[in-house]
Short mmCIF file of all heavy atoms in Angstrom, two decimals:
data_model
loop_
_atom_site.label_atom_id
_atom_site.label_comp_id
_atom_site.label_asym_id
_atom_site.label_seq_id
_atom_site.Cartn_x
_atom_site.Cartn_y
_atom_site.Cartn_z
N TRP A 25 0.83 -1.21 0.00
CA TRP A 25 0.00 0.00 0.00
C TRP A 25 0.86 1.26 0.00
O TRP A 25 0.51 2.26 -0.63
CB TRP A 25 -0.95 -0.01 1.19
CG TRP A 25 -2.13 -0.90 0.97
CD1 TRP A 25 -2.43 -2.06 1.60
CD2 TRP A 25 -3.15 -0.70 -0.01
NE1 TRP A 25 -3.58 -2.61 1.09
CE2 TRP A 25 -4.05 -1.79 0.09
CE3 TRP A 25 -3.41 0.28 -0.96
CZ2 TRP A 25 -5.18 -1.92 -0.71
CZ3 TRP A 25 -4.54 0.16 -1.77
CH2 TRP A 25 -5.40 -0.94 -1.64
N LEU A 26 2.00 1.21 0.68
CA LEU A 26 2.90 2.35 0.65
C LEU A 26 3.43 2.58 -0.76
O LEU A 26 3.59 3.72 -1.21
CB LEU A 26 4.05 2.14 1.63
CG LEU A 26 3.68 2.24 3.11
CD1 LEU A 26 4.87 1.86 3.98
CD2 LEU A 26 3.21 3.65 3.46
N GLU A 27 3.69 1.50 -1.47
CA GLU A 27 4.12 1.63 -2.86
C GLU A 27 3.01 2.23 -3.72
O GLU A 27 3.26 3.07 -4.59
CB GLU A 27 4.53 0.26 -3.41
CG GLU A 27 5.14 0.32 -4.80
CD GLU A 27 5.71 -1.01 -5.25
OE1 GLU A 27 5.81 -1.94 -4.40
OE2 GLU A 27 6.08 -1.11 -6.43
N ALA A 28 1.77 1.84 -3.43
CA ALA A 28 0.63 2.33 -4.21
C ALA A 28 0.43 3.84 -4.03
O ALA A 28 -0.02 4.52 -4.96
CB ALA A 28 -0.65 1.59 -3.80
N VAL A 29 0.76 4.36 -2.85
CA VAL A 29 0.58 5.80 -2.61
C VAL A 29 1.89 6.58 -2.76
O VAL A 29 1.93 7.77 -2.46
CB VAL A 29 -0.04 6.06 -1.22
CG1 VAL A 29 -1.38 5.39 -1.08
CG2 VAL A 29 0.90 5.63 -0.09
N GLY A 30 2.94 5.92 -3.21
CA GLY A 30 4.20 6.61 -3.48
C GLY A 30 5.07 6.87 -2.27
O GLY A 30 5.85 7.82 -2.26
N LEU A 31 4.96 6.01 -1.25
CA LEU A 31 5.76 6.20 -0.03
C LEU A 31 6.68 5.01 0.25
O LEU A 31 7.13 4.85 1.39
CB LEU A 31 4.84 6.42 1.18
CG LEU A 31 4.13 7.77 1.29
CD1 LEU A 31 3.27 7.81 2.55
CD2 LEU A 31 5.12 8.93 1.29
N ALA A 32 6.97 4.22 -0.73
CA ALA A 32 7.79 3.03 -0.51
C ALA A 32 9.15 3.38 0.07
O ALA A 32 9.67 2.68 0.95
CB ALA A 32 7.94 2.25 -1.81
N ASP A 33 9.74 4.47 -0.37
CA ASP A 33 11.08 4.85 0.10
C ASP A 33 11.07 5.45 1.50
O ASP A 33 12.14 5.64 2.10
CB ASP A 33 11.72 5.85 -0.87
CG ASP A 33 12.01 5.23 -2.23
OD1 ASP A 33 12.11 3.99 -2.30
OD2 ASP A 33 12.12 5.99 -3.21
N ALA A 34 9.88 5.76 2.02
CA ALA A 34 9.77 6.39 3.35
C ALA A 34 9.26 5.42 4.40
O ALA A 34 8.91 5.84 5.50
CB ALA A 34 8.86 7.61 3.27
N ARG A 35 9.24 4.13 4.12
CA ARG A 35 8.57 3.17 4.99
C ARG A 35 9.16 3.10 6.39
O ARG A 35 8.45 2.79 7.34
CB ARG A 35 8.57 1.79 4.34
CG ARG A 35 9.94 1.15 4.20
CD ARG A 35 9.81 -0.21 3.52
NE ARG A 35 9.31 -0.07 2.15
CZ ARG A 35 8.74 -1.05 1.48
NH1 ARG A 35 8.60 -2.26 2.03
NH2 ARG A 35 8.31 -0.86 0.24
N TYR A 36 10.43 3.41 6.54
CA TYR A 36 11.06 3.30 7.87
C TYR A 36 11.24 4.66 8.55
O TYR A 36 11.88 4.74 9.59
CB TYR A 36 12.39 2.57 7.76
CG TYR A 36 12.24 1.16 7.25
CD1 TYR A 36 12.85 0.75 6.07
CD2 TYR A 36 11.44 0.23 7.93
CE1 TYR A 36 12.69 -0.55 5.59
CE2 TYR A 36 11.26 -1.06 7.45
CZ TYR A 36 11.90 -1.44 6.28
OH TYR A 36 11.72 -2.72 5.81
N LYS A 37 10.66 5.69 7.99
CA LYS A 37 10.71 7.01 8.62
C LYS A 37 9.56 7.15 9.62
O LYS A 37 8.62 6.35 9.64
CB LYS A 37 10.61 8.11 7.56
CG LYS A 37 11.82 8.18 6.63
CD LYS A 37 11.68 9.34 5.66
CE LYS A 37 12.91 9.45 4.77
NZ LYS A 37 12.81 10.59 3.82
N TYR A 38 9.65 8.19 10.44
CA TYR A 38 8.57 8.53 11.36
C TYR A 38 7.73 9.66 10.75
O TYR A 38 8.24 10.43 9.91
CB TYR A 38 9.13 8.95 12.72
CG TYR A 38 9.64 7.78 13.52
CD1 TYR A 38 10.98 7.38 13.42
CD2 TYR A 38 8.81 7.07 14.37
CE1 TYR A 38 11.46 6.30 14.14
CE2 TYR A 38 9.28 5.98 15.11
CZ TYR A 38 10.61 5.61 14.99
OH TYR A 38 11.07 4.54 15.71
N PRO A 39 6.46 9.77 11.14
CA PRO A 39 5.59 10.80 10.54
C PRO A 39 6.17 12.21 10.58
O PRO A 39 5.95 12.99 9.64
CB PRO A 39 4.30 10.69 11.36
CG PRO A 39 4.25 9.25 11.76
CD PRO A 39 5.69 8.88 12.04
N HIS A 40 6.90 12.58 11.65
CA HIS A 40 7.43 13.94 11.73
C HIS A 40 8.51 14.20 10.68
O HIS A 40 8.88 15.36 10.44
CB HIS A 40 7.97 14.23 13.14
CG HIS A 40 9.17 13.43 13.51
ND1 HIS A 40 9.08 12.27 14.26
CD2 HIS A 40 10.49 13.59 13.23
CE1 HIS A 40 10.29 11.78 14.45
NE2 HIS A 40 11.17 12.55 13.83
N ASP A 41 9.01 13.15 10.04
CA ASP A 41 10.00 13.31 8.97
C ASP A 41 9.35 13.56 7.62
O ASP A 41 10.06 13.81 6.63
CB ASP A 41 10.88 12.06 8.87
CG ASP A 41 11.72 11.82 10.12
OD1 ASP A 41 12.20 12.81 10.69
OD2 ASP A 41 11.85 10.64 10.52
N LEU A 42 8.02 13.49 7.55
CA LEU A 42 7.30 13.60 6.29
C LEU A 42 6.71 14.99 6.11
O LEU A 42 6.34 15.66 7.08
CB LEU A 42 6.17 12.57 6.23
CG LEU A 42 6.53 11.10 6.48
CD1 LEU A 42 5.29 10.24 6.35
CD2 LEU A 42 7.62 10.64 5.51
N SER A 43 6.57 15.41 4.87
CA SER A 43 5.86 16.66 4.56
C SER A 43 4.35 16.44 4.76
O SER A 43 3.88 15.31 4.95
CB SER A 43 6.13 17.06 3.12
OG SER A 43 5.55 16.11 2.22
N GLY A 44 3.59 17.54 4.68
CA GLY A 44 2.15 17.44 4.83
C GLY A 44 1.51 16.52 3.80
O GLY A 44 0.66 15.69 4.13
N GLY A 45 1.93 16.67 2.55
CA GLY A 45 1.38 15.81 1.50
C GLY A 45 1.72 14.35 1.72
O GLY A 45 0.91 13.46 1.48
N MET A 46 2.94 14.08 2.18
CA MET A 46 3.35 12.69 2.43
C MET A 46 2.58 12.11 3.61
O MET A 46 2.19 10.94 3.60
CB MET A 46 4.85 12.64 2.69
CG MET A 46 5.70 12.99 1.47
SD MET A 46 7.47 13.12 1.86
CE MET A 46 7.90 11.38 2.05
N GLN A 47 2.32 12.92 4.64
CA GLN A 47 1.52 12.43 5.77
C GLN A 47 0.10 12.10 5.33
O GLN A 47 -0.49 11.14 5.81
CB GLN A 47 1.50 13.47 6.89
CG GLN A 47 2.82 13.59 7.62
CD GLN A 47 2.69 14.32 8.95
OE1 GLN A 47 1.81 14.02 9.74
NE2 GLN A 47 3.57 15.27 9.20
N GLN A 48 -0.44 12.88 4.40
CA GLN A 48 -1.79 12.58 3.93
C GLN A 48 -1.79 11.33 3.05
O GLN A 48 -2.75 10.56 3.07
CB GLN A 48 -2.36 13.79 3.18
CG GLN A 48 -3.87 13.84 3.13
CD GLN A 48 -4.51 13.91 4.49
OE1 GLN A 48 -4.33 13.03 5.34
NE2 GLN A 48 -5.31 14.93 4.72
N ARG A 49 -0.74 11.10 2.31
CA ARG A 49 -0.60 9.85 1.57
C ARG A 49 -0.56 8.66 2.54
O ARG A 49 -1.16 7.61 2.29
CB ARG A 49 0.67 9.86 0.71
CG ARG A 49 0.60 10.74 -0.52
CD ARG A 49 1.94 10.83 -1.22
NE ARG A 49 1.89 11.69 -2.38
CZ ARG A 49 1.69 11.29 -3.63
NH1 ARG A 49 1.55 10.00 -3.88
NH2 ARG A 49 1.64 12.15 -4.62
N LEU A 50 0.14 8.86 3.66
CA LEU A 50 0.20 7.82 4.68
C LEU A 50 -1.19 7.55 5.25
O LEU A 50 -1.57 6.39 5.45
CB LEU A 50 1.16 8.25 5.79
CG LEU A 50 1.22 7.38 7.04
CD1 LEU A 50 1.53 5.93 6.69
CD2 LEU A 50 2.27 7.93 8.01
N ALA A 51 -1.96 8.61 5.51
CA ALA A 51 -3.31 8.44 6.04
C ALA A 51 -4.20 7.67 5.05
O ALA A 51 -5.04 6.86 5.45
CB ALA A 51 -3.93 9.80 6.37
N ILE A 52 -4.02 7.92 3.76
CA ILE A 52 -4.79 7.20 2.74
C ILE A 52 -4.39 5.73 2.73
O ILE A 52 -5.25 4.84 2.64
CB ILE A 52 -4.58 7.85 1.36
CG1 ILE A 52 -5.23 9.23 1.32
CG2 ILE A 52 -5.15 6.96 0.25
CD1 ILE A 52 -4.92 10.03 0.07
N ALA A 53 -3.09 5.45 2.83
CA ALA A 53 -2.64 4.05 2.90
C ALA A 53 -3.23 3.36 4.12
O ALA A 53 -3.63 2.19 4.05
CB ALA A 53 -1.12 3.99 2.93
N GLN A 54 -3.27 4.06 5.27
CA GLN A 54 -3.90 3.50 6.47
C GLN A 54 -5.35 3.12 6.19
O GLN A 54 -5.81 2.04 6.57
CB GLN A 54 -3.89 4.54 7.60
CG GLN A 54 -2.61 4.66 8.38
CD GLN A 54 -2.76 5.66 9.51
OE1 GLN A 54 -3.37 6.71 9.33
NE2 GLN A 54 -2.21 5.35 10.66
N ALA A 55 -6.08 4.03 5.56
CA ALA A 55 -7.51 3.80 5.31
C ALA A 55 -7.73 2.63 4.36
O ALA A 55 -8.73 1.90 4.47
CB ALA A 55 -8.15 5.07 4.75
N LEU A 56 -6.81 2.44 3.39
CA LEU A 56 -7.00 1.40 2.38
C LEU A 56 -6.45 0.04 2.80
O LEU A 56 -6.72 -0.96 2.13
CB LEU A 56 -6.36 1.84 1.06
CG LEU A 56 -6.97 3.07 0.40
CD1 LEU A 56 -6.22 3.42 -0.88
CD2 LEU A 56 -8.45 2.86 0.10
N MET A 57 -5.69 0.01 3.88
CA MET A 57 -5.07 -1.24 4.32
C MET A 57 -6.10 -2.35 4.55
O MET A 57 -5.85 -3.52 4.26
CB MET A 57 -4.27 -0.99 5.61
CG MET A 57 -3.62 -2.23 6.19
SD MET A 57 -2.31 -2.88 5.15
CE MET A 57 -1.69 -4.21 6.17
N MET A 58 -7.28 -1.98 5.07
CA MET A 58 -8.31 -2.97 5.35
C MET A 58 -9.18 -3.25 4.13
O MET A 58 -10.21 -3.90 4.22
CB MET A 58 -9.17 -2.51 6.53
CG MET A 58 -8.37 -2.30 7.81
SD MET A 58 -7.42 -3.74 8.31
CE MET A 58 -8.74 -4.86 8.74
N GLN A 59 -8.78 -2.70 2.98
CA GLN A 59 -9.48 -2.90 1.71
C GLN A 59 -10.98 -2.58 1.83
O GLN A 59 -11.84 -3.43 1.57
CB GLN A 59 -9.27 -4.34 1.21
CG GLN A 59 -7.81 -4.66 0.98
CD GLN A 59 -7.57 -6.06 0.46
OE1 GLN A 59 -8.50 -6.83 0.26
NE2 GLN A 59 -6.32 -6.41 0.26
N PRO A 60 -11.31 -1.35 2.21
CA PRO A 60 -12.72 -0.97 2.35
C PRO A 60 -13.43 -0.87 1.01
O PRO A 60 -12.79 -0.62 -0.03
CB PRO A 60 -12.65 0.40 3.03
CG PRO A 60 -11.35 0.97 2.52
CD PRO A 60 -10.41 -0.21 2.44
N ARG A 61 -14.70 -1.05 1.03
CA ARG A 61 -15.51 -0.82 -0.17
C ARG A 61 -15.82 0.67 -0.33
O ARG A 61 -16.02 1.14 -1.46
CB ARG A 61 -16.84 -1.59 -0.06
CG ARG A 61 -16.68 -3.09 0.05
CD ARG A 61 -18.01 -3.74 0.40
NE ARG A 61 -19.03 -3.46 -0.60
CZ ARG A 61 -20.34 -3.56 -0.38
NH1 ARG A 61 -20.78 -3.90 0.81
NH2 ARG A 61 -21.20 -3.31 -1.34
N ILE A 62 -15.88 1.37 0.79
CA ILE A 62 -16.27 2.78 0.79
C ILE A 62 -15.14 3.59 1.40
O ILE A 62 -14.66 3.27 2.49
CB ILE A 62 -17.57 3.00 1.60
CG1 ILE A 62 -18.70 2.16 1.01
CG2 ILE A 62 -17.95 4.48 1.62
CD1 ILE A 62 -19.93 2.10 1.91
N LEU A 63 -14.70 4.65 0.72
CA LEU A 63 -13.67 5.54 1.23
C LEU A 63 -14.32 6.90 1.51
O LEU A 63 -14.92 7.51 0.62
CB LEU A 63 -12.54 5.69 0.22
CG LEU A 63 -11.37 6.59 0.65
CD1 LEU A 63 -10.68 6.04 1.90
CD2 LEU A 63 -10.37 6.74 -0.49
N LEU A 64 -14.19 7.37 2.74
CA LEU A 64 -14.74 8.64 3.17
C LEU A 64 -13.59 9.64 3.34
O LEU A 64 -12.63 9.37 4.05
CB LEU A 64 -15.49 8.48 4.49
CG LEU A 64 -16.54 7.35 4.53
CD1 LEU A 64 -17.10 7.19 5.94
CD2 LEU A 64 -17.65 7.62 3.53
N LEU A 65 -13.71 10.80 2.69
CA LEU A 65 -12.65 11.81 2.72
C LEU A 65 -13.24 13.10 3.26
O LEU A 65 -14.12 13.69 2.62
CB LEU A 65 -12.09 12.03 1.31
CG LEU A 65 -11.56 10.79 0.58
CD1 LEU A 65 -11.21 11.13 -0.87
CD2 LEU A 65 -10.34 10.23 1.30
N ASP A 66 -12.78 13.54 4.43
CA ASP A 66 -13.33 14.74 5.08
C ASP A 66 -12.34 15.89 4.91
O ASP A 66 -11.45 16.09 5.73
CB ASP A 66 -13.61 14.47 6.56
CG ASP A 66 -14.48 15.55 7.19
OD1 ASP A 66 -14.85 16.51 6.47
OD2 ASP A 66 -14.80 15.43 8.38
N GLU A 67 -12.51 16.64 3.82
CA GLU A 67 -11.61 17.76 3.48
C GLU A 67 -10.14 17.35 3.62
O GLU A 67 -9.37 18.01 4.32
CB GLU A 67 -11.91 18.97 4.37
CG GLU A 67 -13.31 19.51 4.17
CD GLU A 67 -13.52 20.83 4.90
OE1 GLU A 67 -12.81 21.79 4.56
OE2 GLU A 67 -14.36 20.89 5.80
N PRO A 68 -9.73 16.29 2.96
CA PRO A 68 -8.39 15.75 3.19
C PRO A 68 -7.26 16.62 2.67
O PRO A 68 -6.12 16.46 3.08
CB PRO A 68 -8.42 14.42 2.46
CG PRO A 68 -9.40 14.64 1.35
CD PRO A 68 -10.46 15.53 1.93
N PHE A 69 -7.57 17.56 1.74
CA PHE A 69 -6.50 18.34 1.11
C PHE A 69 -6.59 19.82 1.46
O PHE A 69 -5.89 20.63 0.87
CB PHE A 69 -6.56 18.17 -0.42
CG PHE A 69 -6.72 16.74 -0.85
CD1 PHE A 69 -7.65 16.38 -1.82
CD2 PHE A 69 -5.96 15.73 -0.28
CE1 PHE A 69 -7.81 15.06 -2.21
CE2 PHE A 69 -6.11 14.41 -0.66
CZ PHE A 69 -7.03 14.07 -1.63
N GLY A 70 -7.43 20.17 2.42
CA GLY A 70 -7.65 21.58 2.74
C GLY A 70 -6.41 22.30 3.25
O GLY A 70 -6.27 23.51 3.07
N ALA A 71 -5.50 21.57 3.90
CA ALA A 71 -4.30 22.20 4.48
C ALA A 71 -3.09 22.14 3.55
O ALA A 71 -2.01 22.57 3.95
CB ALA A 71 -3.97 21.52 5.82
N LEU A 72 -3.27 21.63 2.34
CA LEU A 72 -2.14 21.46 1.42
C LEU A 72 -2.07 22.61 0.43
O LEU A 72 -3.09 23.19 0.05
CB LEU A 72 -2.27 20.13 0.68
CG LEU A 72 -2.40 18.88 1.55
CD1 LEU A 72 -2.57 17.65 0.67
CD2 LEU A 72 -1.19 18.72 2.47
#
């Protein structure tokens, strides 16, 4: 999933090492890990 969202090279970093956009990519990977049928996005890009 990290590869799918473009974070494969950051897999061993901590969240504070990531930019805002990278942290949101991480949050999307978290949401998709359980393979949901429905994805809910609550203003996910408002701070970018």
Side-chain angles (χ1 to χ4, degrees):
W25 282 112
L26 288 174
E27 186 172 351
V29 300
L31 287 180
D33 293 339
R35 66 181 64 201
Y36 298 120
K37 293 183 178 181
Y38 286 90
H40 66 263
D41 296 322
L42 306 181
S43 67
M46 293 173 74
Q47 288 196 47
Q48 203 60 302
R49 286 173 181 265
L50 172 55
I52 292 173
Q54 279 183 319
L56 296 179
M57 178 67 176
M58 300 305 292
Q59 299 181 0
R61 299 170 59 201
I62 301 168
L63 181 62
L64 309 174
L65 304 172
D66 194 359
E67 297 189 62
F69 314 133
L72 304 178

